[in-house]
Amino acid sequence: MSHDSPSNATPQKRATRPWLKSYHEARRRRTVDLVKATVDHLLADGQAVTLEAIATRSRELDERGKGIKKAGILGNAEAHAYYRKHSVTYRSGRGQQRRKSKVHVSAQPSRITPNRDTQRVRQRYLQQTKDNLVERLIAVEQEYAACQQQLARLQFEVLDLQQRLEEAAHKSQPSSPGKGGKKAKATRPRTT
């Protein structure tokens, strides 16, 4: 059993539905007209032209009250071009992305002090690309793992030194004769 869908329909079947083509053209035209009207209103009001602002304001301007969604703007080439042409934030965002990708930041932290300005550090991290942040995070995790291993090793060495000190303290104390007299020496078996 085969289903008639646009992907498996023959060209002959597609040609028998001219109303569908006109329906899609009307929807595309409605999107373009609504985006243009909304962008013009935003510019007249002195507001920034963003996808979010267009989606919100278009509901007010649409006679049906539906408005246009962000995906509708992005999916319609003519509407998207009109948005890009008038959006300052779109153009500035593109420039920032290009600038950010050229800046290489070392994954190794240069110098960290406990009383540093955390707001400045936050701003510096927000300006870095995702790739740089991932590299830095991996380096910090590796360094953290190495520090944890070193800490565990030092803790065992401290315990070992404490035990040696306690043993040395017990050996240096004179034994009391009333509680058992002399201790027997441990002898080693002879090897030949």
Side-chain angles (χ1 to χ4, degrees):
M1 171 188 235
S2 70
H3 296 284
D4 290 335
S5 69
S7 62
N8 64 4
T10 62
Q12 190 180 47
K13 282 191 176 185
R14 276 191 232 140
T16 60
R17 298 188 234 170
W19 59 268
L20 193 56
K21 189 173 186 177
S22 63
Y23 171 78
H24 286 298
E25 178 59 27
R27 284 185 57 128
R28 188 193 68 73
R29 191 77 239 148
R30 177 187 171 273
T31 299
V32 171
D33 293 341
L34 193 52
V35 167
K36 285 183 177 181
T38 306
V39 168
D40 293 342
H41 271 70
L42 289 170
L43 291 172
D45 292 345
Q47 294 183 337
V49 177
T50 64
L51 289 173
E52 187 67 37
I54 294 171
T56 304
R57 181 63 76 87
S58 67
R59 285 188 219 115
E60 300 167 10
L61 298 174
D62 187 14
E63 18 186 81
R64 299 180 198 169
K66 290 174 61 175
I68 193 76
K69 305 281 188 239
K70 294 178 194 176
I73 300 166
L74 297 173
N76 186 315
E78 189 177 347
H80 191 249
Y82 195 78
Y83 153 72
R84 282 190 318 229
K85 179 181 175 184
H86 293 91
S87 175
V88 174
T89 56
Y90 179 84
R91 289 188 302 244
S92 67
R94 292 299 237 195
Q96 286 177 355
Q97 288 174 357
R98 281 193 295 270
R99 273 184 265 135
K100 284 181 185 176
S101 63
K102 291 179 183 176
V103 176
H104 178 69
V105 179
S106 172
Q108 297 295 326
S110 55
R111 186 181 73 225
I112 298 176
T113 59
N115 56 351
R116 63 187 174 159
D117 182 10
T118 56
Q119 280 304 107
R120 179 65 190 119
V121 173
R122 173 183 287 280
Q123 288 302 318
R124 205 166 42 242
Y125 283 147
L126 288 173
Q127 292 173 355
Q128 291 185 20
T129 64
K130 190 174 183 179
D131 289 335
N132 286 343
L133 290 173
V134 167
E135 291 302 317
R136 186 163 191 150
L137 180 61
I138 290 170
V140 168
E141 285 179 344
Q142 290 295 108
E143 192 62 33
Y144 179 75
C147 287
Q148 289 297 316
Q149 285 180 339
Q150 185 179 11
L151 177 63
R153 189 173 52 249
L154 289 173
Q155 286 174 338
F156 281 117
E157 288 179 15
V158 167
L159 284 175
D160 188 41
L161 286 173
Q162 284 177 342
Q163 286 177 344
R164 288 181 186 175
L165 285 174
E166 288 175 5
E167 289 174 2
H170 285 296
K171 287 181 181 177
S172 67
Q173 289 179 351
S175 61
S176 56
K179 289 192 175 181
K182 291 184 180 180
K183 291 185 180 179
K185 278 189 175 178
T187 58
R188 288 189 194 166
R190 286 191 142 175
T191 57
T192 53

